[in-house]
Amino acid sequence: MSRRSRRTPSPEPLDTWVPRPRRRETPLGLLGHGVKFLGYSTLAGVLLAGIALPAAGALGLGMKGTVEEFDTIPDDLKTPPLTQASWIYDAKGQQIAKVYERDRRVITGEEMGPLIRQAQVDIEDARFYEHGAVDLKGVLRAITKNAESGAAMQGASTLTQQYVKNVNVEKAGDDHAAVREAQRKTLGRKVQELKYAIKLEEELTKEQILTNYLNITYYGQQAYGIQAAAQRYFSKNAKDLTVAEAATLAGLVQNPSQFDPKAHPEASRKRRDVVIDKMVENKHLTAEQAKEAKSGPVVLHYQAPQNGCITADAGMGFFCDYVRHVIKQDPVFGKTAAERKKLWDMGGLSIHTTLDPVKQAAALKAVTTKVKVTDDVSAAITMVEPGTGKILAMAQTRPYGIDPGKNQTVVNYNVDAAMGGGNGFQPGSNFKPIVAAAGLEAGLTSTQSYPSPNKMDWPSMSTCDGTWKNLEKGKKGGTIPNESAGEVGPYELKEAMALSVNTYFVQMEQEIGLCAVKQMANKLGVLTKASGKPLEELPALGLGTQEVSPLVMANVYATFANRGTYCTPVAISAITTMDGKEVPVSPAKCERVFSESTADVINTVLLGVTEKGGTARDLGLNDDRQIAGKTGTSDEKKSAWFSGYTGNLAASVWLGGPAGGVKMRNIRIGGKWFDEVFGATGPGPIWQMAMNDAVRGMPEKEFETVYIPNPAPKHDPSASPGSGSGSGSGSPGEASTTWPGRPTAPARPTRNPGPTQRPAQPTQPEPQPRQDEQQDQQQDQQQPPQGEQAQPEEQHQDG
């Protein structure tokens, strides 16, 4: 042993119970006069019954001190499963986050390696393999030392007894009062722990007890168990620790704060050297090995605690939080909320999710490039795979966190309130395809025509339980206008969808009834408002006035892409425990909610929205693959949407004020000035950027489309409401247009028609912009205040 080690005391653990001297003479105080009392009390009981302290009454236990009464103390130590960390992974197996109540990973004795096991025994309980639950020599040594000093300098708890105490602390969980009770150093508690220790020594081998001890013990810096400690301080597995590293960790157990190598490196070094000397003393290291291990300071490769979704990279924190809500709410993970919470809190899970890192990166790039985190508004996007319900991406402009000064939030704008979101946002015309699907299922045709006046009173409509009547006719609140003055019918479905004509869809609602619209919304996953409140059967339902979330809308449009088969959204693909056992998860439940023929009409109509003449005509993808979708803008431009899809990927983008109070007029977003934000100009480019990156390398999948003839051309774009049946008149050779009032726009390259699409009709020439449109375009071309040149806005926009 070195000179330094001889000078350095080797104290026993300070966190174990030792008798405390009192001012008055007590049986413990009498021990200072000799060991005669000890022989008649403590040791007598040990020799007679194989236990310690039979004369408990003399020490204040309130017992008669008999072996029989000691035997009545319960010895069934119910060891709970140890709380562990869980890991959440993306679809490629890359870690999203580690979440835990206690950062621990339970490993086997073989996975620990022999070095740390020996170091821990040598410093905590060198005679561990020689004694039973009680170390009589240790008791004698501790009591003698303490009696000589007049203070509690040494304890005599064995490693088995320390393990029992740690089990009681683990069972206390987050109950601070229960933790304090488990740590109280009373004789009664020591006797109880001793009885448990005796039973454990009968049931488990020494190696098993040591393995359990190393897995349960706290090593400081939020690290429970030797594996978490090895990762925390040295970034390696327990079995790979060096002598110096193992000695450092073994020395921590006595006082994790005092010997913290990060906070107190010199105290840690001294404690490490004490452990190394103990290993030499017990002939587990040579003097040469000890010299080398003690030759330098404690060298750390520290990994700071990384707990929770807040540590997730690439904007995945919100999806991580969504996964947490799924586990806490899905009955497959437990019949009650308490059972599901316990599963999450206990941890020890490998949670594999559906999140695609490539698509997630594309989504995050788009919402943070087109909208700045400091803007008054924010954006959110969810991507869903049609046919599987898999959530492939979920991102928003504002980062996940709790610091409002950095514009952070923990509110997930992509999901409903019950899943960690807010109260949602009005989708505007994004909701109109749901009305169209309900109408087609009710027997309407793809060429359904309505007068569609520029403005009209809300008509009476049937509901599931009766009739809705307009009590405000002729007043502002009792009428519904179209977005632009030039939007005057009659219109057919394809044209009305492309131009997003409000009065057309109100008249469709009137014909089929509000109940049909609500039921179709329910089938498509819009079960309630985002707040959880029920959908209201009001005429404005079909125009998107009731708040929803991007995840819900993305899944609606994924159903269109999947030709009418709805799949519940899923975020978790598999869960396994640390020992490889599978935990059941809920698969996507897919069911047909409307016919393929209805889906094919919807896809054809929404394909038209993104082509020449539609509100989203400028949102084509770089590879020119087929896309379909719908714009949406709420009243006062407080939210704007674009939901669109290819044959194999659907995405929905929302843009607006998180609290819903920002009117997006005369506003700068992402460094660009907007006189007025519409679905095609605000969220549309976000969708376009995200999808361009997301679909790269994906196979092209075209839609099953149907032939829908263009309506007969109109002579007078400003024809009065109700002037005809809706089909108009005119001969094929007349200069006219299908889309009245639409300013001329450059045509995108022509796509290949879908498998069932008939050859396209000859393109009708578009009219020149009206005088008011020319004035608006001139204003758009002027330099906006303190901003870059704004692009001309479309005149026919979504409502």
Side-chain angles (χ1 to χ4, degrees):
M1 183 180 298
S2 67
R3 180 174 299 176
R4 176 181 294 172
S5 65
R6 288 197 298 271
R7 291 199 305 267
T8 305
S10 301
E12 293 295 325
L14 296 178
D15 61 343
T16 55
W17 172 83
V18 292
R20 296 183 178 179
R22 301 181 182 180
R23 292 181 182 178
R24 294 167 46 190
E25 283 292 322
T26 65
L28 181 59
L30 294 174
L31 293 179
H33 304 296
V35 296
K36 182 176 181 180
F37 178 80
L38 176 66
Y40 284 104
S41 58
T42 306
L43 294 183
V46 169
L47 295 175
L48 288 173
I51 61 173
L53 306 176
L59 298 179
L61 296 183
M63 293 185 281
K64 294 180 180 179
T66 65
V67 172
E68 290 80 7
E69 288 206 14
F70 184 86
D71 286 340
T72 65
I73 298 175
D75 61 6
D76 183 17
L77 179 65
K78 299 185 183 302
T79 306
L82 295 183
T83 305
Q84 301 186 67
S86 291
W87 281 261
I88 302 176
Y89 301 99
D90 65 26
K92 303 295 184 183
Q94 300 167 348
Q95 181 176 315
I96 294 175
K98 181 169 73 170
V99 295
Y100 55 81
E101 293 296 314
R102 291 186 175 176
D103 189 5
R104 175 190 284 123
R105 181 167 183 176
V106 174
I107 59 176
T108 65
E110 290 74 15
E111 290 174 310
M112 294 174 183
L115 193 55
I116 184 61
R117 296 172 71 84
Q118 196 60 67
Q120 201 73 72
V121 168
D122 285 345
I123 191 61
E124 292 293 321
D125 187 358
R127 300 184 63 256
F128 173 66
Y129 291 102
E130 300 172 22
H131 60 66
V134 180
D135 181 6
L136 298 184
K137 289 185 179 181
V139 172
L140 283 170
R141 182 184 68 249
I143 294 180
T144 301
K145 290 282 187 182
N146 295 340
E148 289 174 352
S149 65
M153 299 298 295
Q154 288 194 8
S157 289
T158 64
L159 191 146
T160 305
Q161 289 172 280
Q162 292 180 52
Y163 168 65
V164 169
K165 183 184 72 173
N166 282 333
V167 169
N168 288 329
V169 172
E170 182 77 16
K171 289 165 66 176
D174 294 329
D175 186 334
H176 298 297
V179 170
R180 287 194 299 272
E181 179 64 23
Q183 293 176 328
R184 285 181 60 199
K185 298 174 182 179
T186 64
L187 288 175
R189 182 159 298 283
K190 295 301 295 185
V191 170
Q192 178 70 82
E193 290 176 358
L194 176 59
K195 187 67 178 289
Y196 286 146
I198 293 170
K199 185 69 171 179
L200 282 176
E201 291 272 356
E202 294 174 356
E203 296 178 344
L204 302 178
T205 67
K206 289 286 188 178
E207 294 298 341
Q208 289 172 322
I209 293 172
L210 177 58
T211 296
N212 291 351
Y213 177 80
L214 287 166
N215 274 321
I216 201 172
T217 298
Y218 181 58
Y219 286 88
Q221 291 287 340
Q222 300 182 33
Y224 289 81
I226 191 59
Q227 177 66 9
Q231 291 285 345
R232 175 77 71 253
Y233 296 105
F234 300 110
S235 299
K236 59 174 59 175
N237 293 322
K239 65 179 180 180
D240 299 323
L241 294 168
T242 65
V243 171
E245 293 166 346
T248 299
L249 297 184
L252 269 173
V253 173
Q254 185 188 81
N255 193 320
S257 298
Q258 179 181 341
F259 299 125
D260 183 340
K262 183 171 175 59
H264 307 292
E266 182 59 20
S268 176
R269 182 191 64 78
K270 291 179 179 180
R271 179 63 175 166
R272 176 201 67 184
D273 292 351
V274 170
V275 177
I276 292 173
D277 288 341
K278 280 288 186 181
M279 296 181 75
V280 173
E281 179 183 326
N282 290 297
K283 297 181 170 44
H284 296 128
L285 287 180
T286 66
E288 191 64 29
Q289 289 172 320
K291 180 179 179 181
E292 180 181 356
K294 295 163 62 176
S295 61
V298 177
V299 179
L300 300 179
H301 294 282
Y302 182 78
Q303 289 186 4
Q306 296 287 308
N307 182 24
C309 297
I310 200 169
T311 66
D313 293 328
M316 297 181 185
F318 297 101
F319 178 79
C320 171
D321 187 66
Y322 179 76
V323 169
R324 178 176 69 90
H325 278 85
V326 170
I327 291 179
K328 288 191 172 184
Q329 295 187 38
D330 190 338
V332 75
F333 299 115
K335 294 182 179 179
T336 66
E339 290 176 353
R340 297 189 291 271
K341 182 179 184 301
K342 181 178 179 181
L343 176 68
W344 176 264
D345 292 346
M346 288 305 301
L349 306 173
S350 290
I351 304 169
H352 299 273
T353 72
T354 60
L355 198 73
D356 185 313
V358 174
K359 292 173 177 54
Q360 175 67 20
L364 181 66
K365 176 184 175 183
V367 294
T368 54
T369 299
K370 295 292 187 180
V371 184
K372 297 184 181 298
V373 70
T374 53
D375 287 345
D376 292 335
V377 298
S378 188
I381 178 173
T382 296
M383 294 182 179
V384 174
E385 183 176 63
T388 67
K390 292 180 180 178
I391 302 171
L392 303 181
M394 185 179 284
Q396 63 190 54
T397 305
R398 300 193 177 181
Y400 187 87
I402 58 175
D403 188 350
K406 297 180 180 179
N407 294 291
Q408 295 177 347
T409 181
V410 294
V411 178
N412 186 350
Y413 303 140
N414 278 290
V415 301
D416 290 355
M419 302 304 289
N423 290 331
F425 313 96
Q426 291 183 352
S429 297
N430 235 219
F431 208 90
K432 288 173 180 173
I434 298 177
V435 179
L440 293 168
E441 286 293 286
L444 303 184
T445 67
S446 63
T447 56
Q448 178 67 39
S449 176
Y450 293 108
S452 312
N454 183 256
K455 184 178 181 180
M456 61 182 287
D457 287 329
W458 291 104
S460 297
M461 298 186 188
S462 65
T463 66
C464 294
D465 300 317
T467 302
W468 180 90
K469 294 181 179 181
N470 185 355
L471 302 180
E472 301 289 326
K473 285 185 178 182
K475 300 179 181 179
K476 183 178 180 180
T479 61
I480 174 65
N482 289 330
E483 180 69 19
S484 302
E487 289 180 352
V488 179
Y491 289 112
E492 294 183 4
L493 176 60
K494 184 177 179 181
E495 184 181 13
M497 187 71 77
L499 296 179
S500 200
V501 179
N502 288 337
T503 57
Y504 177 92
F505 290 96
V506 169
Q507 291 180 321
M508 180 176 282
E509 275 188 311
Q510 180 187 24
E511 180 165 353
I512 64 175
L514 286 171
C515 191
V517 176
K518 180 181 179 181
Q519 289 174 345
M520 178 56 68
N522 291 164
K523 291 177 182 179
L524 288 167
V526 191
L527 302 176
T528 65
K529 299 179 185 180
S531 64
K533 295 180 180 179
L535 293 177
E536 300 175 81
E537 290 184 72
L538 301 173
L541 169 64
L543 303 186
T545 59
Q546 300 188 39
E547 297 82 1
V548 294
S549 63
L551 172 57
V552 167
M553 294 310 293
N555 215 32
V556 168
Y557 283 75
T559 306
F560 298 151
N562 197 36
R563 300 188 73 196
T565 296
Y566 170 83
C567 297
T568 54
V570 292
I572 301 172
S573 57
I575 298 179
T576 57
T577 61
M578 290 296 108
D579 57 2
K581 295 180 180 178
E582 291 188 3
V583 176
V585 300
S586 291
K589 298 176 182 177
C590 299
E591 62 176 331
R592 177 160 297 285
V593 294
F594 54 78
S595 67
E596 288 186 349
S597 60
T598 290
D600 294 344
V601 171
I602 293 293
N603 290 334
T604 303
V605 167
L606 294 183
L607 185 63
V609 174
T610 67
E611 295 183 327
K612 183 178 180 181
T615 57
R617 65 178 182 270
D618 296 323
L619 300 181
L621 301 182
N622 292 340
D623 60 6
D624 202 42
R625 71 177 66 205
Q626 278 189 338
I627 63 170
K630 185 70 186 76
T631 52
T633 310
S634 71
D635 289 343
E636 299 183 292
K637 305 299 186 288
K638 290 184 178 180
S639 68
W641 292 69
F642 184 74
S643 297
Y645 54 101
T646 66
N648 46 17
L649 183 62
S652 183
V653 178
W654 157 83
L655 174 68
V662 179
K663 299 178 182 179
M664 292 185 290
R665 292 189 176 99
N666 299 317
I667 188 172
R668 189 177 304 281
I669 301 175
K672 178 184 176 182
W673 180 262
F674 290 85
D675 292 335
E676 195 169 19
V677 171
F678 293 96
T681 59
I686 297 173
W687 182 93
Q688 185 181 45
M689 174 182 279
M691 289 290 283
N692 268 325
D693 288 340
V695 302
R696 189 175 295 120
M698 292 180 66
E700 293 191 25
K701 182 179 180 182
E702 294 190 335
F703 305 116
E704 294 286 344
T705 57
V706 296
Y707 172 68
I708 303 177
N710 287 329
K714 297 181 178 69
H715 289 292
D716 182 5
S718 60
S720 60
S723 60
S725 63
S727 60
S729 62
S731 61
E734 293 181 58
S736 57
T737 181
T738 300
W739 317 130
R742 170 64 56 185
T744 302
R748 297 216 311 271
T750 303
R751 301 185 180 89
N752 293 328
T756 62
Q757 189 172 5
R758 298 185 187 179
Q761 297 297 303
T763 303
Q764 299 288 350
E766 296 194 29
Q768 294 300 311
R770 302 187 307 271
Q771 182 178 358
D772 60 329
E773 292 170 346
Q774 292 174 343
Q775 293 173 349
D776 289 342
Q777 289 177 346
Q778 289 171 1
Q779 291 176 354
D780 288 338
Q781 291 168 1
Q782 296 176 359
Q783 182 75 14
Q786 301 178 357
E788 63 182 61
Q789 185 83 10
Q791 297 298 318
E793 299 282 9
E794 302 172 42
Q795 298 309 305
H796 274 284
Q797 295 288 3
D798 49 312

